[in-house]
Short mmCIF file of all heavy atoms in Angstrom, two decimals:
data_model
loop_
_atom_site.label_atom_id
_atom_site.label_comp_id
_atom_site.label_asym_id
_atom_site.label_seq_id
_atom_site.Cartn_x
_atom_site.Cartn_y
_atom_site.Cartn_z
N LYS A 26 8.14 38.47 -13.93
CA LYS A 26 7.08 37.60 -14.44
C LYS A 26 7.68 36.44 -15.23
O LYS A 26 8.51 36.66 -16.11
CB LYS A 26 6.12 38.38 -15.36
CG LYS A 26 5.50 39.63 -14.73
CD LYS A 26 4.50 39.31 -13.65
CE LYS A 26 3.84 40.58 -13.12
NZ LYS A 26 2.93 40.29 -11.99
N PRO A 27 7.26 35.19 -14.96
CA PRO A 27 7.75 34.07 -15.75
C PRO A 27 7.12 34.07 -17.14
O PRO A 27 6.05 34.64 -17.36
CB PRO A 27 7.30 32.85 -14.95
CG PRO A 27 6.09 33.33 -14.21
CD PRO A 27 6.34 34.78 -13.89
N ASN A 28 7.80 33.43 -18.06
CA ASN A 28 7.31 33.30 -19.44
C ASN A 28 7.17 31.81 -19.75
O ASN A 28 8.11 31.05 -19.54
CB ASN A 28 8.30 33.95 -20.40
CG ASN A 28 7.71 34.15 -21.78
OD1 ASN A 28 6.50 34.17 -21.95
ND2 ASN A 28 8.57 34.30 -22.77
N CYS A 29 6.00 31.39 -20.19
CA CYS A 29 5.73 29.95 -20.37
C CYS A 29 5.44 29.62 -21.82
O CYS A 29 4.87 30.42 -22.57
CB CYS A 29 4.54 29.53 -19.51
SG CYS A 29 4.76 29.82 -17.76
N PHE A 30 5.84 28.40 -22.21
CA PHE A 30 5.55 27.87 -23.55
C PHE A 30 4.94 26.48 -23.38
O PHE A 30 5.45 25.67 -22.59
CB PHE A 30 6.83 27.78 -24.39
CG PHE A 30 7.57 29.07 -24.51
CD1 PHE A 30 8.53 29.42 -23.57
CD2 PHE A 30 7.31 29.95 -25.55
CE1 PHE A 30 9.23 30.61 -23.67
CE2 PHE A 30 7.99 31.15 -25.65
CZ PHE A 30 8.96 31.48 -24.72
N SER A 31 3.89 26.22 -24.09
CA SER A 31 3.22 24.92 -24.00
C SER A 31 2.85 24.45 -25.39
O SER A 31 2.30 25.22 -26.20
CB SER A 31 1.97 25.04 -23.12
OG SER A 31 1.25 23.83 -23.09
N GLY A 32 3.18 23.19 -25.72
CA GLY A 32 2.87 22.68 -27.05
C GLY A 32 2.93 21.17 -27.10
O GLY A 32 2.96 20.49 -26.07
N ASP A 33 2.99 20.62 -28.30
CA ASP A 33 2.97 19.18 -28.49
C ASP A 33 4.15 18.48 -27.82
O ASP A 33 4.08 17.29 -27.49
CB ASP A 33 2.98 18.85 -29.99
CG ASP A 33 1.68 19.26 -30.67
OD1 ASP A 33 0.67 19.42 -29.95
OD2 ASP A 33 1.68 19.43 -31.90
N HIS A 34 5.24 19.20 -27.64
CA HIS A 34 6.44 18.58 -27.07
C HIS A 34 6.67 18.95 -25.62
O HIS A 34 7.79 18.99 -25.13
CB HIS A 34 7.67 18.93 -27.91
CG HIS A 34 7.61 18.36 -29.30
ND1 HIS A 34 7.72 17.00 -29.55
CD2 HIS A 34 7.43 18.96 -30.50
CE1 HIS A 34 7.62 16.78 -30.84
NE2 HIS A 34 7.45 17.95 -31.45
N GLY A 35 5.60 19.25 -24.89
CA GLY A 35 5.71 19.48 -23.46
C GLY A 35 5.60 20.95 -23.09
O GLY A 35 4.91 21.72 -23.75
N ILE A 36 6.29 21.33 -22.03
CA ILE A 36 6.22 22.70 -21.55
C ILE A 36 7.62 23.23 -21.24
O ILE A 36 8.53 22.47 -20.92
CB ILE A 36 5.34 22.84 -20.29
CG1 ILE A 36 5.90 22.00 -19.14
CG2 ILE A 36 3.90 22.45 -20.59
CD1 ILE A 36 5.22 22.25 -17.81
N SER A 37 7.75 24.54 -21.35
CA SER A 37 9.00 25.21 -20.96
C SER A 37 8.65 26.43 -20.13
O SER A 37 7.64 27.10 -20.37
CB SER A 37 9.81 25.64 -22.19
OG SER A 37 10.29 24.52 -22.90
N LEU A 38 9.49 26.70 -19.15
CA LEU A 38 9.29 27.86 -18.28
C LEU A 38 10.56 28.70 -18.26
O LEU A 38 11.65 28.18 -18.00
CB LEU A 38 8.97 27.38 -16.86
CG LEU A 38 8.86 28.47 -15.78
CD1 LEU A 38 7.64 29.34 -16.02
CD2 LEU A 38 8.79 27.84 -14.39
N GLU A 39 10.42 29.98 -18.58
CA GLU A 39 11.54 30.90 -18.49
C GLU A 39 11.35 31.80 -17.26
O GLU A 39 10.28 32.38 -17.07
CB GLU A 39 11.66 31.77 -19.74
CG GLU A 39 12.18 31.02 -20.94
CD GLU A 39 12.40 31.92 -22.14
OE1 GLU A 39 11.87 33.05 -22.16
OE2 GLU A 39 13.10 31.47 -23.08
N GLU A 40 12.39 31.88 -16.44
CA GLU A 40 12.33 32.71 -15.24
C GLU A 40 13.53 33.64 -15.19
O GLU A 40 14.57 33.39 -15.79
CB GLU A 40 12.28 31.82 -14.00
CG GLU A 40 11.01 31.00 -13.90
CD GLU A 40 10.93 30.23 -12.60
OE1 GLU A 40 11.57 29.17 -12.52
OE2 GLU A 40 10.24 30.68 -11.68
N GLN A 41 13.35 34.73 -14.44
CA GLN A 41 14.40 35.74 -14.31
C GLN A 41 15.21 35.44 -13.06
O GLN A 41 14.72 35.56 -11.93
CB GLN A 41 13.77 37.13 -14.25
CG GLN A 41 13.09 37.52 -15.56
CD GLN A 41 12.20 38.74 -15.41
OE1 GLN A 41 11.15 38.68 -14.81
NE2 GLN A 41 12.65 39.87 -15.96
N ALA A 42 16.46 35.06 -13.27
CA ALA A 42 17.33 34.64 -12.18
C ALA A 42 18.35 35.73 -11.86
O ALA A 42 18.71 36.52 -12.73
CB ALA A 42 18.06 33.35 -12.57
N PRO A 43 18.84 35.78 -10.63
CA PRO A 43 19.85 36.79 -10.27
C PRO A 43 21.20 36.50 -10.89
O PRO A 43 21.49 35.37 -11.28
CB PRO A 43 19.89 36.70 -8.75
CG PRO A 43 19.48 35.29 -8.44
CD PRO A 43 18.45 34.95 -9.48
N PHE A 44 22.04 37.53 -10.94
CA PHE A 44 23.43 37.37 -11.38
C PHE A 44 24.32 36.94 -10.22
O PHE A 44 25.22 36.13 -10.38
CB PHE A 44 23.96 38.68 -11.96
CG PHE A 44 23.65 38.86 -13.42
CD1 PHE A 44 22.43 39.36 -13.83
CD2 PHE A 44 24.57 38.52 -14.38
CE1 PHE A 44 22.15 39.53 -15.17
CE2 PHE A 44 24.30 38.66 -15.73
CZ PHE A 44 23.09 39.17 -16.13
N GLY A 45 24.12 37.54 -9.04
CA GLY A 45 24.98 37.27 -7.90
C GLY A 45 25.33 38.56 -7.20
O GLY A 45 24.44 39.32 -6.81
N VAL A 46 26.62 38.84 -7.10
CA VAL A 46 27.07 40.10 -6.51
C VAL A 46 27.15 41.15 -7.61
O VAL A 46 27.83 40.95 -8.63
CB VAL A 46 28.44 39.96 -5.83
CG1 VAL A 46 28.89 41.30 -5.24
CG2 VAL A 46 28.39 38.89 -4.74
N ILE A 47 26.47 42.27 -7.41
CA ILE A 47 26.51 43.37 -8.37
C ILE A 47 27.37 44.49 -7.80
O ILE A 47 27.21 44.88 -6.64
CB ILE A 47 25.10 43.89 -8.68
CG1 ILE A 47 24.26 42.80 -9.35
CG2 ILE A 47 25.15 45.13 -9.57
CD1 ILE A 47 22.83 43.21 -9.65
N GLY A 48 28.26 45.02 -8.61
CA GLY A 48 29.06 46.17 -8.23
C GLY A 48 28.38 47.43 -8.74
O GLY A 48 28.07 47.53 -9.93
N ALA A 49 28.14 48.39 -7.84
CA ALA A 49 27.39 49.59 -8.22
C ALA A 49 28.15 50.86 -7.83
O ALA A 49 28.72 50.94 -6.75
CB ALA A 49 26.01 49.59 -7.57
N ILE A 50 28.12 51.83 -8.73
CA ILE A 50 28.72 53.14 -8.49
C ILE A 50 27.59 54.15 -8.40
O ILE A 50 26.70 54.19 -9.25
CB ILE A 50 29.67 53.54 -9.63
CG1 ILE A 50 30.71 52.45 -9.88
CG2 ILE A 50 30.33 54.88 -9.33
CD1 ILE A 50 31.65 52.21 -8.74
N THR A 51 27.61 54.99 -7.36
CA THR A 51 26.56 55.99 -7.18
C THR A 51 27.13 57.39 -7.28
O THR A 51 28.29 57.63 -6.95
CB THR A 51 25.85 55.81 -5.82
OG1 THR A 51 26.84 55.84 -4.77
CG2 THR A 51 25.12 54.49 -5.77
N PRO A 52 26.32 58.36 -7.73
CA PRO A 52 26.81 59.71 -7.98
C PRO A 52 26.63 60.63 -6.77
O PRO A 52 25.84 60.34 -5.87
CB PRO A 52 25.90 60.18 -9.12
CG PRO A 52 24.59 59.52 -8.82
CD PRO A 52 24.93 58.18 -8.20
N VAL A 53 27.34 61.74 -6.76
CA VAL A 53 27.19 62.72 -5.70
C VAL A 53 25.86 63.46 -5.81
O VAL A 53 25.32 63.95 -4.82
CB VAL A 53 28.36 63.73 -5.73
CG1 VAL A 53 28.34 64.58 -6.99
CG2 VAL A 53 28.35 64.62 -4.49
N THR A 54 25.29 63.50 -7.02
CA THR A 54 24.06 64.26 -7.23
C THR A 54 22.86 63.65 -6.52
O THR A 54 21.95 64.37 -6.10
CB THR A 54 23.76 64.35 -8.74
OG1 THR A 54 23.88 63.04 -9.32
CG2 THR A 54 24.75 65.28 -9.43
N HIS A 55 22.82 62.33 -6.40
CA HIS A 55 21.72 61.64 -5.72
C HIS A 55 22.30 60.43 -5.00
O HIS A 55 22.02 59.30 -5.35
CB HIS A 55 20.63 61.18 -6.69
CG HIS A 55 20.48 62.04 -7.90
ND1 HIS A 55 19.88 63.27 -7.86
CD2 HIS A 55 20.87 61.86 -9.18
CE1 HIS A 55 19.89 63.81 -9.07
NE2 HIS A 55 20.49 62.97 -9.89
#
């Protein structure tokens, strides 16, 4: 979900961006 700010000095939008390549380790249990 984006997060928005609006006021006398305009608007700002915060968004959730990816990191890129993620390295993941998985267990034998699942």
Side-chain angles (χ1 to χ4, degrees):
K26 305 290 184 185
N28 194 20
C29 301
F30 304 89
S31 176
D33 292 340
H34 294 291
I36 61 171
S37 293
L38 174 68
E39 287 185 343
E40 294 185 280
Q41 294 167 288
F44 274 84
V46 179
I47 296 178
I50 306 296
T51 55
V53 66
T54 49
H55 330 285

